[in-house]
Amino acid sequence: MQKGDFSKDFVEKIAQDEPQWMRERRLEAYALYESLPMPHTTEDDTWRRTVDMRTQDYWRRTRRHLRGFAVDNYRPTIGQNGDTSVEVPKDSEDAAGVILQLDGQHQHTSLSAELEKQDVYFADLHTALKERDELLRDYFMTKAVTLETTLKSGNIATSNKFDALHGAFWQGGYVLHVPKGIRVEVPLRVYIRLSEEQHADLSHILVIAEENSQVVILEDNLSTNQEAGGLHSGAVEIFAGQNANVTYVQVQNWNRQVWNFASHRAMVSKDAKLCWVTATFGGRLNKLNQAIVLEGNGANAQMLGLAFTDARQHLDVSTAQEHVSPHTFSDLLYRTVLKDRSQTAWGGNIYVYPEANYTDAYQKNDNLLLSERAHADTLPGLEIQAHEVRCTHGATAGKIDTDQVFYLMSRGLSYAQAEKLIVDGFFEPVMERVPMESVREELQEFVSRKLET
């Protein structure tokens, strides 16, 4: 397959062995993809959720970075399975299940015998289309299973041109289905890799945790070739059923030649709990849209994010906490460290719908600037239509405290050691909420590498 073959014919090619409903959804997404302009070619920015003059500067900044991007420079995946001899990372040895994907192609899947007996389903998405067609049809890129409310974040398949690109051409990704009452005590691990030059990864992640279930997913996105340019346009959908407990940790460390676009959404049902951790270290330009929808009474969600940007990296994050039902709780904490000439933009909104009384929601975005030319924009927001609520937000951006550096250096530390200690302390409020020690150690390693570059 040649570069730039994002055509209707290619949609038909990859859909020829898929169910009719999937083919129709692909073609619908392709029609939308064809009709939408690239964000940097028009002032009608479809990424912006609200028309607000305050947002224009940082949205223009993101559009400016996109001027060096062209979809036709990248090629989509051809097959469904690659070289199954690819080595599975050693840190997966204690996992209850493992999936490995390379350049959008499935390489390896394993699941413990105990979980198979309990009917836990863990498979690459192409296999799942053949084996669990009806399950996917109800969940894949739909607004929700039972929710009738029109969501502020819209349908994950129709938010912008890159979502439409993903909906039409997705290849790779995986499905996790945990049946009612099953508690998966040992984490599942997923490895998504990019290695080929100018390759497009359009993986789709679908997690379905039914009533009274529990699961932890640790997902690692990584470039194995630090010089290879690439494109990632992905999506994550999480469905936490009544009283389910889901922890999803995604670590992104693409190289600095990868353009990264993604839309993530979770539906959290009655009395369910979700802990969602997003760690961003790599990528040339990152545009992430993330939304949680608290659709049932007593739903509880934590959105935790940490990021470290350097060189000329650009990170643009939009978050939405959507409280549809009463007695729901959400807590967002995003912390970012910036070096060199990197830039970040974060815009977050808490939406409280008319029926969602007794909502308790909080959002906080903090930014630590390690250089004079680093720049952070932050814009929290509230839209409240209920009367009995508690909603608060905050945002900070500032340089490293010279008094703290002086104090640490006066105790015998070098400047680099003092800086690292301050950065570690800045990230600690997020790190301490990450559920597993091994994951915290991995994140700390990434932070150390960024400081050394």
Side-chain angles (χ1 to χ4, degrees):
M1 191 63 57
Q2 299 299 314
K3 288 191 296 183
D5 195 5
F6 290 102
S7 64
K8 185 175 181 180
D9 287 343
F10 189 56
V11 173
E12 294 283 8
K13 179 180 177 64
I14 57 181
Q16 61 185 354
D17 296 324
E18 296 177 346
Q20 181 62 23
W21 65 265
M22 179 59 77
R23 175 181 176 274
E24 292 172 356
R25 291 187 193 181
R26 284 189 185 274
L27 290 173
E28 181 180 355
Y30 179 77
L32 182 64
Y33 170 72
E34 284 285 276
S35 68
L36 292 173
M38 288 293 292
H40 65 285
T41 63
T42 174
E43 289 299 313
D44 182 19
D45 193 337
T46 57
W47 290 357
R48 193 182 326 175
R49 287 198 179 94
T50 58
V51 178
D52 190 330
M53 291 301 293
R54 295 174 300 166
T55 67
Q56 282 193 354
D57 285 344
Y58 90 76
W59 285 111
R60 283 174 179 165
R61 194 172 286 119
T62 298
R63 285 199 296 261
R64 186 167 64 246
H65 280 268
L66 271 173
R67 289 171 184 163
F69 173 80
V71 173
D72 288 341
N73 289 337
Y74 304 92
R75 62 180 183 277
T77 302
I78 304 173
Q80 297 179 2
N81 293 286
D83 181 4
T84 55
S85 66
V86 174
E87 185 176 351
V88 178
K90 292 181 180 180
D91 60 5
S92 67
E93 294 175 355
D94 296 328
V98 177
I99 281 181
L100 172 62
Q101 173 183 306
L102 178 66
D103 295 322
Q105 297 181 322
H106 173 247
Q107 307 293 325
H108 170 87
T109 298
S110 63
L111 187 65
S112 71
E114 179 183 356
L115 293 183
E116 286 185 347
K117 289 178 182 178
Q118 295 175 319
D119 201 28
V120 173
Y121 188 74
F122 191 45
D124 70 276
L125 197 52
H126 299 285
T127 299
L129 271 177
K130 299 174 182 177
E131 297 179 346
R132 302 289 176 101
D133 175 18
E134 292 302 319
L135 175 69
L136 266 64
R137 183 173 185 171
D138 288 339
Y139 289 93
F140 185 89
M141 295 186 83
T142 59
K143 180 179 70 174
V145 179
T146 60
L147 192 63
E148 298 298 330
T149 303
T150 300
L151 298 175
K152 295 288 186 179
S153 58
N155 189 314
I156 197 169
T158 60
S159 299
N160 59 70
K161 190 174 183 71
F162 292 102
D163 289 342
L165 173 75
H166 173 87
F169 298 99
W170 72 264
Q171 291 275 278
Y174 62 93
V175 176
L176 170 62
H177 176 226
V178 184
K180 179 179 178 179
I182 301 300
R183 300 177 66 84
V184 182
E185 303 292 346
V186 180
L188 302 165
R189 298 216 56 148
V190 177
Y191 304 89
I192 297 176
R193 302 290 188 251
L194 267 175
S195 65
E196 290 188 15
E197 179 71 27
Q198 304 304 103
H199 192 86
D201 177 280
L202 296 97
S203 51
H204 191 98
I205 286 80
L206 180 59
V207 176
I208 305 163
E210 292 190 359
E211 182 180 347
N212 295 316
S213 64
Q214 175 181 302
V215 69
V216 176
I217 309 102
L218 308 178
E219 181 185 310
D220 187 19
N221 296 258
L222 177 71
S223 292
T224 59
N225 181 349
Q226 294 305 308
E227 303 303 322
L231 164 66
H232 175 261
S233 182
V236 176
E237 297 183 279
I238 299 174
F239 294 87
Q242 182 174 335
N243 203 41
N245 190 338
V246 178
T247 299
Y248 175 75
V249 181
Q250 184 186 71
V251 180
Q252 185 270 99
N253 196 30
W254 305 125
N255 69 34
R256 291 179 188 153
Q257 285 71 51
V258 173
W259 302 84
N260 179 38
F261 307 96
S263 285
H264 298 171
R265 187 167 67 203
M267 312 296 296
V268 188
S269 299
K270 184 177 185 295
D271 296 324
K273 293 182 179 180
L274 170 68
C275 178
W276 193 332
V277 183
T278 304
T280 303
F281 299 103
R284 174 175 176 172
L285 179 142
N286 296 281
K287 180 67 180 84
L288 171 63
N289 297 320
Q290 185 179 22
I292 54 168
V293 181
L294 298 110
E295 59 171 328
N297 291 10
N300 183 311
Q302 289 189 78
M303 299 174 73
L304 306 175
L306 62 88
F308 198 145
T309 60
D310 61 8
R312 288 177 174 267
Q313 285 182 288
H314 184 84
L315 170 63
D316 188 332
V317 180
S318 296
T319 64
Q321 296 153 258
E322 303 196 53
H323 291 258
V324 177
S325 296
H327 300 283
T328 51
F329 172 85
S330 69
D331 184 8
L332 179 148
L333 177 61
Y334 268 63
R335 289 204 156 190
T336 303
V337 173
L338 301 89
K339 280 179 61 179
D340 307 323
R341 299 180 65 179
S342 61
Q343 298 177 341
T344 64
W346 174 81
N349 277 291
I350 297 172
Y351 299 107
V352 181
Y353 292 75
E355 303 301 320
N357 281 310
Y358 309 106
T359 283
D360 187 348
Y362 181 68
Q363 62 178 194
K364 183 73 179 296
N365 173 234
D366 297 311
N367 302 274
L368 179 62
L369 310 177
L370 301 185
S371 64
E372 291 292 333
R373 304 195 71 175
H375 184 89
D377 288 301
T378 180
L379 184 67
L382 304 173
E383 186 175 317
I384 300 172
Q385 296 177 299
H387 300 291
E388 300 291 336
V389 302
R390 180 180 181 275
C391 295
T392 53
H393 60 70
T396 65
K399 299 176 182 178
I400 196 166
D401 191 324
T402 55
D403 289 340
Q404 290 181 355
V405 175
F406 176 80
Y407 174 81
L408 292 170
M409 292 182 70
S410 72
R411 294 300 185 268
L413 276 65
S414 67
Y415 181 88
Q417 290 171 327
E419 183 181 63
K420 183 181 186 306
L421 199 60
I422 292 169
V423 168
D424 288 343
F426 178 78
F427 279 137
E428 183 59 26
V430 176
M431 291 286 194
E432 66 184 8
R433 297 202 217 175
V434 175
M436 297 187 64
E437 179 64 29
S438 60
V439 178
R440 291 194 293 270
E441 291 175 356
E442 182 178 340
L443 294 176
Q444 287 166 347
E445 286 180 12
F446 282 125
V447 171
S448 297
R449 290 175 200 166
K450 286 288 233 181
L451 284 168
E452 292 169 1
T453 57

